Amino acid sequence: MSSIWRYELRLMLRQRVVWLALLVMVLLSTASVIAGFLEVQRQHAVIERIQPLQAEDEAALARSISVDGDAGNTAYYTFHATWDAPSELAFAALGQRDVVPYLLRVRALALEGQLYEGENYNAELALPGRFDWAFVLTYIAPLLVIVLLHDLLSGEREAGRMTLLAAMARQERQLWIRRITLRLVMLLCALALPFVFGALLSRADLAGIVLFLAVAGAYLLFWAVLCWWINCTSWSSLASAATLAAVWLVLTLVLPALTHLAINIAIPVRQGVELTLAQREQVHAGWDAPVEQTMQAFFSEHPEWRDTPPITGGFHWKWYYAFQHLGDVSAAASSRAYREALRARNRWTNHAGILLPAVAVQAIVHRMARTDLLAGLDYMERIRAFHERLRRFYYPYIFNETPFREADFLGAPRWSENFGSGSPRPVVSPHR
């Protein structure tokens, strides 16, 4: 570092407001990383706890329900655990992981109701978002940039040093660039160091860490340029600070909220609970529908089971699982429209990020941390693929009326983190 840079650094560090801003930045960044780590560890603990419990439940069912070999009974009472573990960078940007289920136990029954019955969070409480590193970056860091840079020029004018500085400086522009750069770099270091420490502890990928820091640096640079533009006016320090505070309020809170409201109005989306109710009404209607009508509708979806032994007597598991599946079929179009509408909202939110830096930062970091809406929808799609495998595992036993024994549990599909991302594992089905 040249002598002029060292002099500017010493001059900057003599200012109490600089130390105060850096201290606040370090404390808030550290607190946000710790809060994010605690939440991620809690989620990991829940996921780890469910797996041995799943094995215990399955072992108990294998000893009891499968004694009589009733496959329909076994499929009805057997819950299969699925989970979506947080990524290595989720601690920094929790996104929707606090409002969207990350663990779900499903059965071979109608799926749509199982997917959305947990959608009971309080949307009002979800609006502000969690206190995490992304929150500090988006909302707190710009305020501290304003604190450090709002009076860069006006402060010198009001102190009567502006003329002297202009006369002494060989290149006046380079003087202000040095002062802005030093303040920005120090603030970015105070923000980034706790994040980097947390990312290394979570063994995050180096490319992900660099991308997070690049987004943070670009965002702070935007606010620094905005501060410089306001500084170039002849306003007083107080007027500059008030103007920048108003701009912060509009760009980070008012306009994003109005944009969110406008997108929601323009792209209406039915709640998942409504889909659940509609599907359950269809399923319950299956109890009153003629058996032959239900089976013909099911065989049109699954003709491979048309030649299985016919239903005789009263209740039969074939009929029960047939109208369960038809409930999903009836809700398929609505469910698809629901997901497409959510994706459309997400696309328009990303478009809004072109004009609103705060929205862009949130969208980018949540996407990189895999905690955004698309990550939640991807988890739901993997559950659908898993549920399809469950049905195809149990159906040969149910429709061929093959006894289901304790050893057959070993062939049941198992959930894994990458389920649905590759080619499906073959399932061994009992012979007819």
Side-chain angles (χ1 to χ4, degrees), residues 53-344:
L53 292 176
Q54 169 72 25
E56 292 177 10
D57 288 349
E58 191 172 294
L61 286 166
R63 291 191 299 268
S64 59
I65 296 177
S66 62
V67 171
D68 58 1
D70 190 336
N73 213 31
T74 303
Y76 182 85
Y77 285 104
T78 304
F79 287 84
H80 300 264
T82 72
W83 59 87
D84 182 29
S87 69
E88 292 81 2
L89 289 171
F91 75 92
L94 291 169
Q96 297 199 17
R97 289 192 65 89
D98 57 340
V99 295
V100 175
Y102 59 88
L103 189 149
L104 196 64
R105 300 176 72 203
V106 298
R107 295 185 287 173
L109 308 181
L111 178 63
E112 294 299 327
Q114 300 180 70
L115 287 177
Y116 301 115
E117 63 185 358
E119 190 186 64
N120 57 2
Y121 63 88
N122 188 333
E124 299 267 341
L125 297 178
L127 283 176
R130 267 194 177 269
F131 177 73
D132 55 14
W133 191 81
F135 179 92
V136 174
L137 168 63
T138 306
Y139 300 105
I140 307 300
L143 287 175
L144 295 178
V145 173
I146 292 172
V147 168
L148 292 179
L149 299 181
H150 76 280
D151 62 345
L152 201 62
L153 290 177
S154 57
E156 299 295 343
R157 284 196 299 266
E158 292 165 1
R161 296 189 295 265
M162 193 63 179
T163 304
L164 182 61
L165 281 174
M168 295 180 60
R170 296 178 182 177
Q171 293 181 322
E172 185 178 350
R173 178 176 298 179
Q174 294 299 321
L175 168 68
W176 303 119
I177 290 177
R178 282 195 300 270
R179 292 191 173 182
I180 293 173
T181 301
L182 284 173
R183 284 160 175 77
L184 209 59
V185 169
M186 293 294 288
L187 192 63
L188 181 60
C189 288
L191 172 69
L193 285 178
F195 162 75
V196 172
F197 183 72
L200 294 176
L201 280 181
S202 65
R203 300 180 181 179
D205 182 74
L206 179 60
I209 298 175
V210 172
L211 284 173
F212 258 71
L213 296 180
V215 170
Y219 187 57
L220 295 188
L221 180 61
F222 164 80
W223 283 100
V225 171
L226 189 60
C227 289
W228 173 253
W229 180 65
I230 297 297
N231 265 274
C232 289
T233 65
S234 300
W235 297 343
S236 65
S237 298
L238 183 59
S240 297
T243 302
L244 287 168
V247 171
W248 171 86
L249 182 66
V250 170
L251 289 183
T252 61
L253 295 175
V254 176
L255 286 182
L258 292 176
T259 301
H260 176 74
L261 181 62
I263 291 174
N264 288 355
I265 293 174
I267 308 175
V269 175
R270 297 175 64 188
Q271 294 299 312
V273 174
E274 296 179 34
L275 292 176
T276 300
L277 292 175
Q279 183 231 37
R280 285 182 176 175
E281 288 177 1
Q282 182 67 29
V283 169
H284 292 325
W287 288 101
D288 301 322
V291 174
E292 185 63 26
Q293 176 184 327
T294 298
M295 297 311 298
Q296 288 303 319
F298 177 80
F299 290 147
S300 67
E301 294 284 331
H302 290 282
E304 66 271 22
W305 304 115
R306 187 180 295 276
D307 298 329
T308 52
I311 296 176
T312 58
F315 175 84
H316 199 288
W317 283 116
K318 293 182 185 181
W319 169 58
Y320 179 78
Y321 284 98
F323 73 69
Q324 285 284 325
H325 176 62
L326 292 177
D328 276 339
V329 172
S330 69
S334 297
S335 177
R336 194 179 306 111
Y338 172 74
R339 300 194 301 273
E340 287 304 317
L342 289 177
R343 290 191 176 93

